[in-house]
């Protein structure tokens, strides 16, 4: 049953309804592992019956006005994510804010979003490519807890602050570059099908091809996880086709480097026999031979912009643009050239 006064439930209300202690409710909200599954179900059912958790009280909001920022990055902090997190950390330091970092692939298996509003001393959060369902982000927004998403995995409502790169525009410009060189049979090694960035880049590739009257057949498109190993395998499939592509585009630089290895294993020279391009312009793109043509994402600027948006949210400014898309840049190096005659 809902509260009689029509308001949303407090932790005390939930504990009374579920017949557990306030500490137990807090552990469930913070997704602690030392809660029995049956007890967890009782608490979650009570939250649902009572119409959800009440927003953080005004007194608590004032106490955390100068609190830490929780950075949720459930991935290994290699080139891509590491650059963004480092930029976030440096910018928060300029604002005098402490950082609480939740990183590493193990973090993907532990949901923390529901407990963020109750974390002591935490003012807001920045999330990088959050794997949690959009429903959890909507619930967090409804609690009044301020947060910003960097590179959202799925489409977000307009009232959730987000920062991303211009994936569509970058992919279209990269494909236009290959078309200007004379390529028409271009293989696409795309990212995961459930990623917003992968969809936008595929659309960018398709738009550039359509401009010159070319449609990419499904046989020239592969999708997979954005790793060097996946790039190696998927590129191999494309290069083993009876009529192989004259150019390959990787979802990111790692997949493009995997494609380079697949080409080398087949005795193909880059760019004389095959052009290859990537996306991101991480350090790896400048360590290949030949140097990799790619699209530069403003990774450090994405981190700085996310902090700027969050600071404005914490200061209760009205934001005119909640979804910020930063420009990308085509970087032409040595891995692309006109197709062999």
């Amino acid at each position: 049953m809902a509260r009689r006064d029509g308001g949303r439930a407090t932790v005390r209300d939930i504990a009374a309804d579920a017949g557990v202690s306030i500490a137990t409710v807090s552990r469930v909200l913070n997704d602690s592992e030392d809660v029995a599954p049956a007890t967890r179900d009782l608490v979650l059912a009570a939250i649902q019956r009572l119409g959800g958790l009440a927003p953080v009280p005004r007194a608590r909001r004032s106490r955390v006005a100068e609190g830490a920022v929780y950075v949720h990055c459930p991935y290994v902090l290699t080139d891509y994510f590491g650059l963004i997190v480092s930029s976030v950390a440096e910018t928060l330091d300029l604002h005098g804010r402490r950082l609480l970092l939740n990183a590493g692939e193990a973090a993907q298996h532990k949901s923390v979003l529901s407990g963020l509003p109750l974390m002591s001393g935490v003012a807001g959060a920045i999330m990088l490519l959050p794997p949690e369902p959009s429903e959890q982000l909507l619930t967090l927004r409804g609690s009044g807890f301020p947060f910003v998403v960097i590179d959202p995995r799925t489409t977000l409502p307009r009232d959730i602050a987000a920062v991303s790169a211009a994936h569509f525009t970058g992919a279209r410009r990269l494909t236009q570059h290959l078309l200007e060189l004379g390529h028409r049979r271009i293989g696409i090694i795309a990212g995961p099908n459930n990623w917003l960035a992968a969809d936008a880049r595929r659309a960018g590739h398709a738009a550039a091809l359509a401009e010159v009257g070319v449609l990419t057949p499904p046989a020239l498109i592969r999708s997979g996880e954005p790793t060097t190993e996946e790039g190696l395998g998927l590129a191999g499939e494309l290069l083993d086709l009876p009529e192989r592509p004259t150019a390959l585009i990787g979802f990111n630089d790692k997949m493009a480097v995997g494609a380079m290895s697949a080409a080398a294993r087949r005795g193909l020279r880059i760019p004389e026999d095959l052009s290859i391009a990537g996306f991101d312009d991480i350090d790896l793109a400048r360590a290949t031979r030949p140097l990799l043509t790619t699209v530069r994402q403003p990774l450090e600027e994405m981190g700085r912009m996310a902090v700027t948006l969050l600071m404005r949210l914490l200061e209760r400014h009205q934001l005119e643009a909640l979804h910020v898309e930063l420009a990308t840049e085509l970087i032409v190096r040595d891995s692309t050239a006109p197709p062999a005659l």
Side-chain angles (χ1 to χ4, degrees), residues 110-331:
K110 182 179 180 181
S111 176
V112 298
L113 302 193
S114 61
L116 284 176
L118 294 177
M119 281 192 178
S120 177
V122 173
I126 293 175
M127 305 174 195
L128 281 72
L129 195 67
E132 289 84 0
S134 57
E135 292 79 10
Q136 291 189 26
L137 294 173
L138 290 171
T139 300
L140 185 60
R141 181 202 61 185
S143 74
F145 183 81
F147 66 96
V148 177
V149 176
I150 298 177
D151 207 6
R153 182 177 290 206
T154 59
T155 302
L156 297 178
R158 296 301 303 175
D159 57 351
I160 291 182
V163 179
S164 63
H167 298 292
F168 174 91
T169 304
R172 181 173 64 180
R173 183 67 193 97
L174 178 58
T175 307
Q176 287 172 338
H177 164 66
L178 292 172
L179 292 169
E180 290 163 1
L181 290 173
H183 294 277
R184 291 298 182 269
R185 191 167 174 80
I186 301 172
I188 307 297
I189 307 172
N193 289 321
N194 61 341
W195 282 22
L196 188 62
D199 293 341
R201 293 181 198 176
R202 275 194 294 267
H205 298 314
L209 291 164
E211 289 170 359
V212 297
V214 175
L215 295 177
T216 299
L220 287 183
I221 302 175
R222 297 290 189 277
S223 298
E225 293 299 314
T227 65
T228 303
E229 294 74 17
E230 281 281 275
L232 171 65
L234 297 175
E237 294 178 15
L238 293 171
L239 296 177
D240 289 339
L241 292 172
E243 186 181 358
R244 66 170 177 81
T246 63
L248 294 176
I249 297 176
F251 171 74
N252 63 2
D253 293 339
K254 291 182 179 181
M255 297 187 94
V257 168
M260 284 182 158
S261 296
R265 292 184 182 184
R266 289 158 177 80
L268 298 174
R269 299 167 300 162
I270 303 169
E272 294 85 354
D273 302 320
L274 177 71
S275 287
I276 294 179
F279 207 106
D280 289 344
D281 195 31
I282 58 176
D283 288 346
L284 185 63
R286 296 181 290 277
T288 60
R289 293 294 179 272
L291 298 178
L292 183 65
T293 292
T294 186
V295 173
R296 178 175 296 159
Q297 285 204 72
L299 301 178
E300 294 179 347
E301 182 60 24
M302 288 163 63
R304 288 190 287 267
M305 179 58 70
V307 173
T308 298
L309 288 176
L310 182 61
M311 291 302 105
R312 290 179 63 81
L313 289 173
L314 291 174
E315 293 164 5
R316 306 197 181 283
H317 290 296
Q318 184 70 32
L319 299 183
E320 294 183 1
L322 281 173
H323 286 202
V324 178
E325 185 175 270
L326 300 178
T328 54
E329 179 185 2
L330 174 66
I331 306 296

